[in-house]
Amino acid sequence: MSKLGQIGAKLHRGEVSYDFIGHRKFWFGLSIALVVISLGGLFARGLALGIEFKGGVEYDAAVKVTSSTVEDFTAAVKATNAKGLGDPVVTTINDNKVRVQTKPLAQADVGNVRAAIAKEAGIPAEQVTSQQIGASWGQQIADKAILALIVFLVLVFAVIWLYFREPKASMAAIIALIHDVTITVGVYALIGFDVTPATVIGVLTILGYSLYDTVVVFDKVRENTRGITGSNRFTYSDATNLAVNQTVVRSINTTVTALLPVGAILVVGTVVLGTGPLKDLSLALFVGIAVGAYSSIFIAPSLLAVFKEREPGMKALSKRVSAKKAQTAAAAAAPVAVATAGAAPRSAVQDTARTSDRATGSAPTPSSRPMRATSAGRPQPTRKPRSKRGK
């Protein structure tokens, strides 16, 4: 068994543990700080929306892709000095096609940019295809994405409620999901990566992953808390903390296994291919999976414990458990106190008696046991000698 497996077995048996619920204030504070930073970046910098959301012009040309294709076409398009051009987005597709995306341009500038691309590719201008994408189409995509997110959250709330028979579990899971989405979108705003339809797909995907991991932890919590109000051993927070410790190694293994291929795709999409849907999708998945695993371990179970501990039955259970712990501690301390208090007198008495015995020397020591007078004066049977028996 590997070292991580041994740790997981000890965590599952309760031999070692980390107090996730007891340190919830620290993790809540860390999450609040991350959310505030994400919201600050979102409102201060905003999202770099792709051409699909804000509109623009897209050109495609057949060309033999080389290591300098992106730089060469970017310089050629910028050299046209088209009005409102901004920074064009140049993407290579496989090894035989280049795609250039610009902001919305005037009709004359559209022709100039097409001619520049054709010249750089070494092909006639008629072989360079172009299409103008209106902002209204991107707005429709954004509206549908927001609607899909709202419907997803409502369905998730209902499904978790029905599965666990517990609305507080739904509340904790939904808060964790919103936490994951906010931080992921904040990372996009802070870094400045383009938000494309591939990014939306990635964000919706990580919602499902985060929810799956949270449900696994909650399922273990339900198993540990079944019939807990009839016992005085654990509070709801104790049972929840045990559940998190029992599943934390599984969550780490699942997360690492998922992050390795996604990280490889992110490196390929960013370093090898440059900009493109592969990078947009993998970045959202990478950030979302990592944040989702964090919230499933540190945030969602703690929120559930906080919500449940406010119930009257759980408050009464906490009082009983606290009273039992105090009683057990007092019982464990009592024998020690008695032994400590009784040791000195007993030793003094024994020492005194032994000293008195030794002072009498070789003389027989009278018994310390009280003797009855009748017993001491009782005549003992005697036997006459044979000469005096008359025989």
Side-chain angles (χ1 to χ4, degrees), residues 11 60 67 113 117-118 123 207-208 286 317-318 326 365 380:
L11 288 170
D60 288 327
S67 58
V113 172
I117 294 174
I123 59 177
L207 292 179
F286 191 88
L317 175 63
S318 298
T365 304
Q380 298 296 321

Side-chain angles (χ1 to χ4, degrees), residues 114-139:
R114 180 190 297 113
I117 294 174
K119 182 179 180 181
E120 184 65 31
I123 59 177
E126 294 76 12
Q127 296 183 7
V128 178
T129 61
S130 63
Q131 61 176 343
Q132 296 195 31
I133 302 175
S136 59
W137 185 78
Q139 186 62 41

Side-chain angles (χ1 to χ4, degrees), residues 35-48 185-186 188-192:
V35 170
V36 170
I37 293 174
S38 300
L39 292 177
L42 187 61
F43 287 106
R45 296 171 56 89
L47 292 174
V185 175
Y188 266 83
L190 293 172
I191 296 178

Side-chain angles (χ1 to χ4, degrees), residues 176-338:
L177 284 178
I178 295 175
H179 163 274
D180 299 343
V181 174
T182 303
I183 294 179
T184 303
V185 175
V187 170
Y188 266 83
L190 293 172
I191 296 178
F193 283 172
D194 290 339
V195 177
T196 64
T199 305
V200 177
I201 295 173
V203 171
L204 294 178
T205 303
I206 63 173
L207 292 179
Y209 178 87
S210 175
L211 181 64
Y212 167 76
D213 211 18
T214 302
V215 167
V216 170
V217 179
F218 282 6
D219 212 10
K220 196 65 179 177
V221 173
R222 180 174 62 175
E223 179 181 339
N224 290 349
T225 57
R226 186 175 289 118
I228 192 173
T229 54
S231 172
N232 297 332
R233 296 181 58 192
F234 302 108
T235 64
Y236 194 91
S237 296
D238 295 336
T240 303
N241 191 68
L242 177 61
V244 179
N245 279 279
Q246 289 173 332
T247 56
V248 64
V249 173
R250 176 195 173 283
S251 297
I252 293 174
N253 288 335
T254 305
T255 303
V256 173
T257 304
L259 285 179
L260 287 177
V262 173
I265 296 173
L266 178 61
V267 172
V268 172
T270 305
V271 178
V272 180
L273 300 179
T275 58
L278 198 61
K279 185 201 69 175
D280 302 335
L281 177 64
S282 57
L283 178 62
L285 289 177
F286 191 88
V287 177
I289 289 174
V291 177
Y294 161 75
S295 66
S296 300
I297 297 173
F298 296 99
I299 304 302
S302 298
L303 286 174
L304 178 60
V306 170
F307 294 154
K308 291 292 292 184
E309 289 290 358
R310 295 181 179 179
E311 294 181 356
M314 296 304 167
K315 289 182 179 179
L317 175 63
S318 298
K319 290 182 180 178
R320 293 200 305 270
V321 172
S322 300
K324 184 178 180 181
K325 289 181 179 179
Q327 185 178 4
T328 303
V336 177
V338 170

Side-chain angles (χ1 to χ4, degrees), residues 9-62:
K10 291 182 179 178
L11 288 170
H12 192 274
R13 293 192 298 266
E15 297 176 0
V16 295
S17 64
Y18 175 77
D19 193 2
F20 294 95
I21 308 302
H23 295 87
R24 60 179 179 272
K25 291 183 178 179
F26 170 78
W27 299 112
F28 284 169
L30 178 61
S31 290
I32 291 174
L34 293 176
V35 170
V36 170
I37 293 174
S38 300
L39 292 177
L42 187 61
F43 287 106
R45 296 171 56 89
L47 292 174
L49 298 176
I51 188 175
E52 295 85 356
F53 292 101
K54 61 184 179 182
V57 186
E58 184 176 278
Y59 304 89
D60 288 327

